[in-house]
Amino acid sequence: MIIVLRQGTPQAEIDHLTDMIVGQGISVNPIVGSDLTILGLIGDTSRVDPTQLESFQCVERIMHVAEPFKKANRMFHPGNSVIEAGGATIGGKGLAVMAGPCSVESREQITTVAKAVKAAGATVLRGGAFKPRTSPYAFQGLKYEGLELLKAAREETGLPIVSELMSPYDIERFVEDVDIIQVGARNMQNFDLLRQLGKTQKPILLKRGLSATIEEWLMSAEYIMAGGNSNVILCERGIRTFETYTRNTVDLSAVLAVKKLSHLPVVVDPSHGTGKRWMVPPMARAAIAVGADGLMVEVHNDPQHALCDGQQSITPDDFTQVMAEIRAIAQAVGRDI
Amino acid sequence: MIIVLRQGTPQAEIDHLTDMIVGQGISVNPIVGSDLTILGLIGDTSRVDPTQLESFQCVERIMHVAEPFKKANRMFHPGNSVIEAGGATIGGKGLAVMAGPCSVESREQITTVAKAVKAAGATVLRGGAFKPRTSPYAFQGLKYEGLELLKAAREETGLPIVSELMSPYDIERFVEDVDIIQVGARNMQNFDLLRQLGKTQKPILLKRGLSATIEEWLMSAEYIMAGGNSNVILCERGIRTFETYTRNTVDLSAVLAVKKLSHLPVVVDPSHGTGKRWMVPPMARAAIAVGADGLMVEVHNDPQHALCDGQQSITPDDFTQVMAEIRAIAQAVGRDI
Amino acid sequence: MIIVLRQGTPQAEIDHLTDMIVGQGISVNPIVGSDLTILGLIGDTSRVDPTQLESFQCVERIMHVAEPFKKANRMFHPGNSVIEAGGATIGGKGLAVMAGPCSVESREQITTVAKAVKAAGATVLRGGAFKPRTSPYAFQGLKYEGLELLKAAREETGLPIVSELMSPYDIERFVEDVDIIQVGARNMQNFDLLRQLGKTQKPILLKRGLSATIEEWLMSAEYIMAGGNSNVILCERGIRTFETYTRNTVDLSAVLAVKKLSHLPVVVDPSHGTGKRWMVPPMARAAIAVGADGLMVEVHNDPQHALCDGQQSITPDDFTQVMAEIRAIAQAVGRDI
Amino acid sequence: MIIVLRQGTPQAEIDHLTDMIVGQGISVNPIVGSDLTILGLIGDTSRVDPTQLESFQCVERIMHVAEPFKKANRMFHPGNSVIEAGGATIGGKGLAVMAGPCSVESREQITTVAKAVKAAGATVLRGGAFKPRTSPYAFQGLKYEGLELLKAAREETGLPIVSELMSPYDIERFVEDVDIIQVGARNMQNFDLLRQLGKTQKPILLKRGLSATIEEWLMSAEYIMAGGNSNVILCERGIRTFETYTRNTVDLSAVLAVKKLSHLPVVVDPSHGTGKRWMVPPMARAAIAVGADGLMVEVHNDPQHALCDGQQSITPDDFTQVMAEIRAIAQAVGRDI
């Protein structure tokens, strides 16, 4: 951590600040330039609160040298984390492909889709039971009934299931029912929920927030890991930019950044990322080409009658085609599928 | 709602889509142009799910003509809403000024600050008991003890109190203890929390999310109002942009937009909005000049030793000066303080 | 084009507005809803100025149904445009790979790099002679001498050359000297320059502006094409977002959008797009996987001593490796290289 | 300037890098931490090219301590710059108000508006002769005839004139004809144009680019100043964000930032900043309340028939009202008008 001091700060103030920092067990190295003076801090600065330092009148600004996350940091855990969930693995050489409908709608629907995506090569079944909808008047999901239908589909196909959790009240139920608990983009900084999930050992799929920096995303993973649950899978699902042609802007360089900064696996969701069905196959190919550990894809047997997000869902036939395409890409980048 | 059809859509598909929409009690007016055909929908389109329409192959895109929020919409409630909270009013001719420390730290601290801000003209005491911190290792607030200290400060000064809620588990306690429940920016789309708060009658201060559009913000207000609680106060606190000099970019035109689109009161938080103490007074003046219904300002008796966000807190003396400045502005724009 | 009228607009005002529009040879179809009235305009609305319509008091807002660009629009030119430049083709089945140093520095440097990238499979040599630098104190390029060195390298290798133009004063010289004229991101809306380039027949590589929407980008292409020059190649080079880990955020879905909306070829620049050398190979793979018509890559024989942008340049050896990787991807997506 | 080294960099590489830097007359202070090593550079680092440093394999990243601009920097020029232009002053205690139509359309129009805005208290007449339009098919301005009409209006009213320059070919003509040359947002990084303008002594109104950071904006001012022309006036005109309700998002905290970092005057353009006529008066009030040195406002005698941007123009009567409102605000913040 580096402190840039205000121009013309009296020595007495520098001494006062230095004493305060040294009192926390940190060494302070001053660098005195012609116009500016900076202080270099050495030691475990994760315990130093930067906002407290910034409140000193003599502090111009604080610059971070090291990343603020520890357990998620590749610096302290050089090997890739491989997460095991209901028989599927995420983060190893094999790609993880999570596919299924945005919303679970009926037993027939989820079972049909589950069988189809399994046949095409999916390794995890996705399906929404509790749906975060922007409008309070939109369909909110089948809730507990949806979970039951997902379990039935797992029973029939053997595919592990991932589904989104919206309330801390439902954690116990989800831990019992699903194989991976999804935290949606809008809850990425719902710290109360993250903290509760850190107390379980269930794999968590943590979606990147709509305008979350890579560092904030990893800090949210850190929340879960700090509680004792290191089974975190990251999911890039597009960020909000000024561009309105697509629902979001998929940030594939974030996959690279995350894999450099952290040991956690990361998958890409081209369905929410683009909001357009016809963009899903090429963006899925690009995600694998860039080095993602897998995909999360919306597949619906009848997109026109989907109760949510039909415009970004592909059919099982399309999905079979996508799998064929990414197989070739996976081979080219040395991954299995 | 307007549907733009793909070029060259066969009439049979248009008829099929039209029948489906008419079946929902909506009339359809086609406009056939040389290159494109559009369908104008008339009726209560709030029940039509746009994502379902977009999933039809023949639909190029959907354009919204009316805003998707109803209860928050000024079209159906032309007069300004005035919210009453523990003796303070928000949204009337008089300005609401909420001031106090980021975090409640001790009985002495909160009481000292409370007395000082009251003397300077604040109408509500703010103070954080549960703190949403980006890092799991940062100070998370005094929690229930913080609430007790806030109540003691209210007792001593008569100022109503506002504090942030982070978990649905604490709603009952907050309803009992505070006068206004704050929903933080990171929870603006925590729909589970919003829905629960809609079941109370407590005034809710709903902060704008870091990258929330004005429409999404009002839809989150709608979530609370749809549950039966119309006591919603909006708070603009800066949005995330590419600019990094300030913590966020305060969007004062959003105050104007919200007041045109909705009848709900809106206040501005220049402390979180800028993240810089020295920017708070001028941005507070600008907020009043543009027509905000009030302010939310961080005031700390000793910013250098604040346990959080000291760099954006002003002292009670500064606050007294700010109040003097905004009084002159308020007079210029016809508001009382 | 659709006009949404303000609620409660008197019929006389609607009639007045309608007459004005009909006077421009456009038909007007009104759709009268319960709360709102809209007007659907049919005809060649490219001649209607939306800002003029918006200035009518009765107009709430204008919604565009058709894209405002004509010559760049795939609707009126369904086949892909294939651009020929000095022997290279861009936009056909074969991928175009433009490689070379950010800045031309010396005869030896540019010739060495040119030979190396040609051997690895590049089809065009890139090299900056005039450099747009954020700081007036930074190296601004070898200018005319740089152009001479590029020509010498073309002579030796047979590779056509692309270089950035910064001033309209130099157009004549560039038309004579280079095979493709590059318009940089910061000049994407330098309309004076675009207009002048429209008068030539030289292929133009038009980079996307830092915060340009896809529509604005295509409108800038339209400026060139409207002047009579239809040889426009688009180049996605990353957009500005809140994320600061990468220099820009490469928007690969923009490649898909552009290829759907327009018939013009589009290449991707992963070097400027990410600003990080180690991200170039995987982002290059992703660009080809998504369907780009080619790449623009910075290659420098000695990145540590590059006079500009060394941090994002790869070595000739790295480039040879990149070419091997994208060959496999190209094959998987049905492209030649 | 601070260099963060990659973890585990061998001492030999550090020595090599250090020698290279010391060879440029800069001292290097290493700070060796447990996980990371950083180098603090002391001396005139404006001559060091950070991109060159970043290209060293051992360099993790570069952090800037001092601002890269010199002549525009308040650190080296503590007092406010006051610019004199045709009798008007910008940057002093008195506010500068530039008002007039987006486009000059006819002698009668510009003269009528000029007289009206002068009567209301404007100090500079604005009017576009060359118009940067997104579409090549939109009205592009009266060009040289427009300049003549502006001169006639100046003759009649005595108001100095500001108008936008688009081509370096026209600099000589503009220097002769207008009192302030405007550089539009889209040309903020047209470095060729900036460099040419630096050779004149004419006051330059430099608009902030659509997605320009404050630092980039000041670097563009530096371009002009480095050439010898220190008469630069900055103009905040809104930045591009994800919000689409307004044309742009006016960033009033940028006014504060610029006035802290630089000695140059800054005015605000609420017309382009919001794109909505009804937002202009309140945003103008807010701009003065925050501390801007003046305003730039579009005023048109007949907005409905304006040839451009009518939707954001106010009438002379509205403008008279705005002037009355900002007079009261100016008084409250200690400014004259």
Side-chain angles (χ1 to χ4, degrees):
Chain A
M1 190 177 282
I2 284 167
I3 302 177
V4 182
L5 296 175
R6 254 178 242 286
Q7 206 192 9
T9 296
Q11 190 57 42
E13 279 193 45
I14 301 179
D15 293 346
H16 174 65
L17 177 64
T18 302
D19 289 352
M20 195 277 287
I21 298 166
V22 170
Q24 297 181 45
I26 311 284
S27 336
V28 175
N29 285 34
I31 301 180
V32 183
S34 48
D35 297 320
L36 289 169
T37 296
I38 67 170
L39 304 179
L41 274 55
I42 298 177
D44 181 5
T45 53
S46 71
R47 287 170 301 159
V48 177
D49 188 341
T51 63
Q52 192 191 357
L53 294 178
E54 281 176 351
S55 67
F56 278 78
Q57 292 283 359
C58 63
V59 173
E60 179 71 36
R61 67 199 145 115
I62 302 296
M63 297 163 88
H64 298 273
V65 173
E67 273 74 33
F69 42 90
K70 302 289 162 195
K71 290 180 188 291
N73 202 325
R74 192 179 279 275
M75 197 182 274
F76 310 117
H77 184 307
N80 288 335
S81 280
V82 179
I83 315 281
E84 203 285 333
T89 56
I90 301 104
K93 201 187 175 205
L95 296 177
V97 181
M98 310 178 184
C102 178
S103 289
V104 179
E105 294 169 19
S106 70
R107 180 157 192 149
E108 201 204 324
Q109 173 239 21
I110 190 66
T111 312
T112 307
V113 175
K115 285 179 183 163
V117 298
K118 187 181 184 189
T123 59
V124 177
L125 174 66
R126 59 149 292 160
F130 294 82
K131 298 301 306 170
R133 303 300 298 272
T134 311
S135 165
Y137 310 121
F139 173 63
Q140 311 274 328
L142 291 184
K143 301 181 181 175
Y144 300 107
E145 190 196 335
L147 290 181
E148 291 306 319
L149 298 178
L150 278 170
K151 284 159 67 181
R154 173 175 58 191
E155 188 83 15
E156 285 210 41
T157 59
L159 286 178
I161 54 182
V162 54
S163 198
E164 179 168 349
L165 171 76
M166 289 183 62
S167 172
Y169 288 116
D170 295 324
I171 289 182
E172 223 170 306
R173 177 74 184 266
F174 269 67
V175 167
E176 222 168 275
D177 285 358
V178 307
D179 301 285
I180 304 174
I181 298 178
Q182 177 176 327
V183 174
R186 288 167 182 78
N187 276 324
M188 191 203 85
Q189 291 193 316
N190 180 342
F191 300 122
D192 177 58
L193 193 66
L194 299 177
R195 203 177 288 114
Q196 305 294 334
L197 290 169
K199 297 176 187 161
T200 75
Q201 287 304 313
K202 186 59 73 176
I204 310 295
L205 182 96
L206 179 66
K207 289 205 153 190
R208 183 180 184 184
L210 271 74
S211 69
T213 61
I214 290 165
E215 186 175 302
E216 287 172 339
W217 190 17
L218 290 171
M219 283 307 282
S220 286
E222 187 82 9
Y223 252 94
I224 299 167
M225 298 172 86
N229 182 357
S230 55
N231 297 310
V232 180
I233 304 155
L234 299 164
C235 179
E236 160 67 30
R237 43 78 72 209
I239 57 173
R240 181 159 283 179
T241 69
F242 60 83
E243 181 58 65
T244 56
Y245 187 83
T246 39
R247 190 188 248 204
N248 297 289
T249 300
V250 176
D251 178 8
L252 289 183
S253 57
V255 172
L256 299 170
V258 158
K259 291 199 79 67
K260 186 180 175 79
L261 295 170
S262 176
H263 50 87
L264 297 173
V266 56
V267 300
V268 172
D269 176 348
S271 306
H272 282 87
T274 63
K276 292 187 187 292
R277 179 197 301 144
W278 58 274
M279 284 191 174
V280 172
M283 289 305 289
R285 294 196 307 256
I288 299 309
V290 92
D293 294 306
L295 296 170
M296 180 164 227
V297 181
E298 284 190 14
V299 179
H300 196 283
N301 51 326
D302 182 10
Q304 293 190 14
H305 294 97
L307 292 179
C308 109
D309 284 345
Q311 85 285 6
Q312 68 196 32
S313 295
I314 59 175
T315 63
D317 281 356
D318 297 333
F319 179 68
T320 305
Q321 177 63 25
V322 170
M323 289 301 287
E325 290 174 9
I326 65 172
R327 228 166 243 123
I329 306 279
Q331 197 176 9
V333 298
R335 301 294 287 260
D336 296 339
I337 194 164
Chain B
M1 190 177 281
I2 285 166
I3 301 176
V4 182
L5 296 175
R6 256 179 242 285
Q7 207 191 7
T9 296
Q11 189 59 40
E13 278 193 46
I14 302 180
D15 292 347
H16 174 64
L17 178 64
T18 302
D19 289 351
M20 193 277 284
I21 298 167
V22 169
Q24 297 181 45
I26 311 284
S27 338
V28 175
N29 287 33
I31 301 180
V32 182
S34 48
D35 295 321
L36 289 169
T37 296
I38 67 171
L39 304 180
L41 275 53
I42 298 176
D44 181 5
T45 53
S46 72
R47 287 170 300 162
V48 178
D49 189 342
T51 63
Q52 191 192 357
L53 294 178
E54 282 175 350
S55 66
F56 277 78
Q57 293 282 2
C58 63
V59 172
E60 178 71 37
R61 68 197 145 116
I62 301 295
M63 299 163 88
H64 298 273
V65 173
E67 273 73 34
F69 42 90
K70 301 288 162 193
K71 290 179 189 290
N73 201 324
R74 193 180 276 278
M75 197 183 272
F76 310 116
H77 183 307
N80 289 335
S81 279
V82 180
I83 315 282
E84 204 285 333
T89 55
I90 301 103
K93 201 189 175 203
L95 296 176
V97 182
M98 311 178 184
C102 179
S103 287
V104 179
E105 295 169 18
S106 70
R107 178 155 192 152
E108 201 203 323
Q109 174 240 21
I110 190 67
T111 312
T112 307
V113 175
K115 285 178 182 165
V117 300
K118 188 182 183 188
T123 60
V124 177
L125 175 66
R126 60 149 291 159
F130 294 82
K131 299 301 306 170
R133 302 302 297 273
T134 310
S135 166
Y137 310 120
F139 173 62
Q140 311 272 330
L142 293 184
K143 300 181 180 173
Y144 301 108
E145 189 197 335
L147 289 181
E148 291 306 317
L149 298 178
L150 277 171
K151 283 159 68 181
R154 174 173 60 189
E155 187 84 16
E156 284 211 42
T157 60
L159 285 178
I161 53 182
V162 55
S163 199
E164 179 167 349
L165 171 77
M166 288 184 63
S167 172
Y169 288 116
D170 295 323
I171 289 182
E172 223 170 306
R173 177 73 184 265
F174 269 67
V175 166
E176 222 168 275
D177 284 359
V178 307
D179 301 286
I180 304 174
I181 297 177
Q182 179 177 324
V183 175
R186 287 167 182 77
N187 277 323
M188 192 203 86
Q189 291 192 317
N190 180 341
F191 300 122
D192 177 58
L193 194 66
L194 300 178
R195 203 178 287 114
Q196 305 294 334
L197 290 169
K199 296 176 186 161
T200 76
Q201 286 303 312
K202 187 59 72 177
I204 310 296
L205 183 96
L206 179 66
K207 289 205 154 190
R208 183 180 182 182
L210 271 74
S211 69
T213 62
I214 290 164
E215 186 175 302
E216 287 171 337
W217 190 15
L218 290 171
M219 283 308 281
S220 286
E222 188 83 7
Y223 251 94
I224 299 169
M225 298 173 86
N229 182 357
S230 54
N231 296 309
V232 179
I233 303 156
L234 300 164
C235 180
E236 160 67 31
R237 45 76 75 210
I239 55 172
R240 181 158 282 180
T241 69
F242 60 82
E243 181 57 64
T244 56
Y245 187 84
T246 40
R247 188 188 251 202
N248 296 289
T249 300
V250 176
D251 178 8
L252 288 184
S253 56
V255 172
L256 298 170
V258 157
K259 290 198 80 66
K260 186 181 175 78
L261 295 171
S262 175
H263 50 87
L264 297 173
V266 57
V267 300
V268 172
D269 177 347
S271 306
H272 282 87
T274 64
K276 292 186 187 292
R277 181 196 299 144
W278 58 273
M279 283 191 174
V280 172
M283 288 305 287
R285 294 196 307 257
I288 300 306
V290 92
D293 294 307
L295 296 169
M296 180 162 228
V297 181
E298 283 191 14
V299 179
H300 196 283
N301 51 326
D302 182 9
Q304 292 189 13
H305 294 96
L307 292 179
C308 110
D309 283 346
Q311 85 285 7
Q312 67 196 31
S313 296
I314 59 175
T315 64
D317 283 357
D318 297 334
F319 180 68
T320 304
Q321 177 63 25
V322 169
M323 289 301 288
E325 289 174 10
I326 64 171
R327 229 166 242 124
I329 305 280
Q331 198 177 10
V333 298
R335 300 295 287 259
D336 295 339
I337 194 164
Chain C
M1 189 178 281
I2 285 166
I3 301 176
V4 182
L5 297 175
R6 256 177 240 288
Q7 206 191 10
T9 295
Q11 190 58 41
E13 278 193 47
I14 302 180
D15 293 346
H16 174 65
L17 178 64
T18 303
D19 289 350
M20 195 276 286
I21 298 166
V22 169
Q24 297 181 46
I26 311 284
S27 338
V28 176
N29 285 35
I31 302 179
V32 183
S34 48
D35 295 321
L36 288 169
T37 296
I38 67 170
L39 304 180
L41 274 53
I42 298 177
D44 180 5
T45 53
S46 72
R47 287 171 300 161
V48 178
D49 189 342
T51 63
Q52 191 192 358
L53 294 178
E54 281 175 350
S55 67
F56 278 77
Q57 292 284 0
C58 62
V59 173
E60 180 70 36
R61 68 197 145 115
I62 302 295
M63 299 164 89
H64 297 274
V65 173
E67 274 73 32
F69 41 90
K70 301 289 161 190
K71 290 179 189 292
N73 201 324
R74 193 180 278 276
M75 196 181 274
F76 310 117
H77 184 307
N80 288 336
S81 280
V82 180
I83 315 280
E84 202 285 333
T89 55
I90 301 106
K93 202 189 176 204
L95 295 177
V97 181
M98 309 178 186
C102 178
S103 287
V104 179
E105 295 169 19
S106 70
R107 178 155 191 150
E108 201 204 323
Q109 173 239 21
I110 189 68
T111 312
T112 308
V113 175
K115 285 177 184 164
V117 300
K118 187 180 183 189
T123 59
V124 177
L125 174 65
R126 59 148 294 160
F130 294 83
K131 300 300 308 170
R133 303 300 298 272
T134 310
S135 166
Y137 310 121
F139 174 62
Q140 310 275 327
L142 292 184
K143 302 182 181 174
Y144 301 108
E145 190 197 334
L147 289 181
E148 292 306 318
L149 299 177
L150 278 170
K151 284 158 67 181
R154 176 176 56 191
E155 188 84 14
E156 285 210 42
T157 59
L159 285 178
I161 54 182
V162 55
S163 198
E164 179 168 350
L165 171 76
M166 289 183 64
S167 172
Y169 288 115
D170 296 324
I171 289 184
E172 222 169 307
R173 177 75 184 266
F174 270 67
V175 166
E176 223 167 276
D177 285 359
V178 308
D179 300 286
I180 305 174
I181 297 178
Q182 177 175 329
V183 175
R186 288 166 181 80
N187 277 323
M188 192 202 85
Q189 291 192 317
N190 180 343
F191 300 122
D192 177 57
L193 194 66
L194 300 178
R195 203 177 288 114
Q196 305 294 334
L197 290 169
K199 296 176 188 162
T200 76
Q201 286 303 313
K202 187 61 70 175
I204 310 296
L205 183 96
L206 180 66
K207 290 204 153 189
R208 184 181 183 184
L210 273 74
S211 69
T213 61
I214 290 164
E215 186 176 302
E216 287 171 338
W217 190 16
L218 290 172
M219 283 307 280
S220 286
E222 187 82 9
Y223 252 94
I224 299 168
M225 299 173 86
N229 182 358
S230 54
N231 296 309
V232 180
I233 304 155
L234 300 163
C235 178
E236 162 66 30
R237 43 79 71 208
I239 55 172
R240 181 158 280 180
T241 69
F242 59 83
E243 181 58 65
T244 57
Y245 187 83
T246 39
R247 188 188 250 203
N248 296 289
T249 300
V250 176
D251 177 9
L252 288 183
S253 55
V255 172
L256 299 169
V258 158
K259 290 198 80 66
K260 187 182 174 77
L261 294 170
S262 176
H263 51 87
L264 298 173
V266 57
V267 301
V268 172
D269 176 347
S271 306
H272 281 88
T274 64
K276 292 186 188 292
R277 180 195 302 144
W278 59 272
M279 284 190 173
V280 171
M283 288 306 288
R285 293 196 308 257
I288 299 307
V290 92
D293 294 305
L295 296 170
M296 181 164 225
V297 181
E298 283 190 14
V299 179
H300 196 283
N301 51 324
D302 183 8
Q304 291 188 17
H305 295 97
L307 292 179
C308 111
D309 284 348
Q311 84 285 5
Q312 68 197 30
S313 295
I314 60 175
T315 63
D317 282 357
D318 297 334
F319 179 69
T320 304
Q321 177 63 26
V322 169
M323 289 302 288
E325 290 174 10
I326 64 172
R327 228 166 242 124
I329 305 279
Q331 196 176 12
V333 299
R335 299 296 285 260
D336 296 339
I337 196 165
Chain D
M1 191 178 280
I2 286 167
I3 301 176
V4 182
L5 296 175
R6 255 177 242 285
Q7 208 192 7
T9 295
Q11 189 58 42
E13 278 192 47
I14 301 180
D15 292 346
H16 173 65
L17 178 64
T18 302
D19 289 350
M20 194 277 286
I21 298 166
V22 169
Q24 298 181 43
I26 312 283
S27 337
V28 175
N29 286 34
I31 301 180
V32 182
S34 48
D35 296 322
L36 289 169
T37 296
I38 67 171
L39 304 179
L41 274 54
I42 299 177
D44 180 6
T45 53
S46 72
R47 287 171 300 161
V48 178
D49 188 343
T51 64
Q52 192 192 356
L53 295 177
E54 282 175 351
S55 66
F56 278 78
Q57 293 283 0
C58 62
V59 172
E60 178 72 35
R61 68 196 143 116
I62 302 295
M63 298 163 88
H64 297 272
V65 173
E67 273 74 32
F69 42 90
K70 300 290 163 192
K71 291 179 188 291
N73 201 323
R74 193 180 277 277
M75 197 181 271
F76 310 116
H77 184 307
N80 288 335
S81 280
V82 180
I83 315 281
E84 203 285 334
T89 56
I90 301 103
K93 202 189 175 204
L95 296 176
V97 181
M98 308 175 186
C102 179
S103 288
V104 179
E105 294 169 18
S106 69
R107 178 156 192 152
E108 201 203 323
Q109 174 240 21
I110 189 68
T111 313
T112 307
V113 175
K115 286 179 183 164
V117 299
K118 188 183 183 187
T123 61
V124 177
L125 174 65
R126 61 150 291 161
F130 294 82
K131 299 301 307 170
R133 302 301 298 274
T134 310
S135 167
Y137 310 121
F139 173 62
Q140 311 272 330
L142 292 184
K143 303 182 180 173
Y144 301 108
E145 189 196 335
L147 289 181
E148 292 305 318
L149 298 178
L150 278 170
K151 283 158 68 180
R154 175 174 59 190
E155 187 84 15
E156 284 209 43
T157 59
L159 285 178
I161 54 182
V162 55
S163 198
E164 179 167 351
L165 172 76
M166 289 183 63
S167 172
Y169 289 116
D170 295 323
I171 290 184
E172 223 170 305
R173 178 74 184 265
F174 269 68
V175 167
E176 222 168 275
D177 284 359
V178 308
D179 301 285
I180 304 174
I181 297 177
Q182 177 177 325
V183 175
R186 287 167 181 78
N187 276 322
M188 192 203 84
Q189 291 192 318
N190 180 343
F191 299 122
D192 176 59
L193 193 66
L194 300 178
R195 203 178 288 116
Q196 305 294 336
L197 291 170
K199 296 176 188 164
T200 76
Q201 287 302 314
K202 188 59 72 176
I204 309 295
L205 183 97
L206 180 66
K207 290 204 153 190
R208 183 180 184 184
L210 272 74
S211 70
T213 62
I214 290 165
E215 186 176 300
E216 287 172 336
W217 190 15
L218 290 171
M219 283 308 280
S220 286
E222 188 82 8
Y223 251 94
I224 299 168
M225 298 172 86
N229 182 358
S230 55
N231 297 309
V232 180
I233 304 155
L234 300 163
C235 179
E236 160 68 30
R237 44 76 74 208
I239 55 173
R240 181 160 282 180
T241 69
F242 60 82
E243 181 59 64
T244 57
Y245 187 83
T246 40
R247 187 188 250 202
N248 296 289
T249 301
V250 177
D251 177 8
L252 289 183
S253 56
V255 172
L256 299 169
V258 158
K259 290 198 81 65
K260 186 181 175 78
L261 296 170
S262 176
H263 50 87
L264 297 173
V266 57
V267 301
V268 172
D269 176 348
S271 306
H272 281 87
T274 63
K276 292 187 186 293
R277 181 195 301 144
W278 59 273
M279 285 191 173
V280 172
M283 289 305 287
R285 294 196 309 255
I288 300 307
V290 92
D293 292 307
L295 296 170
M296 182 164 224
V297 181
E298 283 190 14
V299 179
H300 196 283
N301 51 324
D302 182 10
Q304 292 189 13
H305 294 97
L307 292 179
C308 107
D309 284 347
Q311 85 286 5
Q312 68 196 31
S313 295
I314 59 175
T315 64
D317 282 357
D318 297 334
F319 179 68
T320 305
Q321 177 62 26
V322 169
M323 288 302 288
E325 290 174 9
I326 65 171
R327 229 167 241 122
I329 305 278
Q331 197 176 10
V333 298
R335 300 296 286 261
D336 296 338
I337 194 164

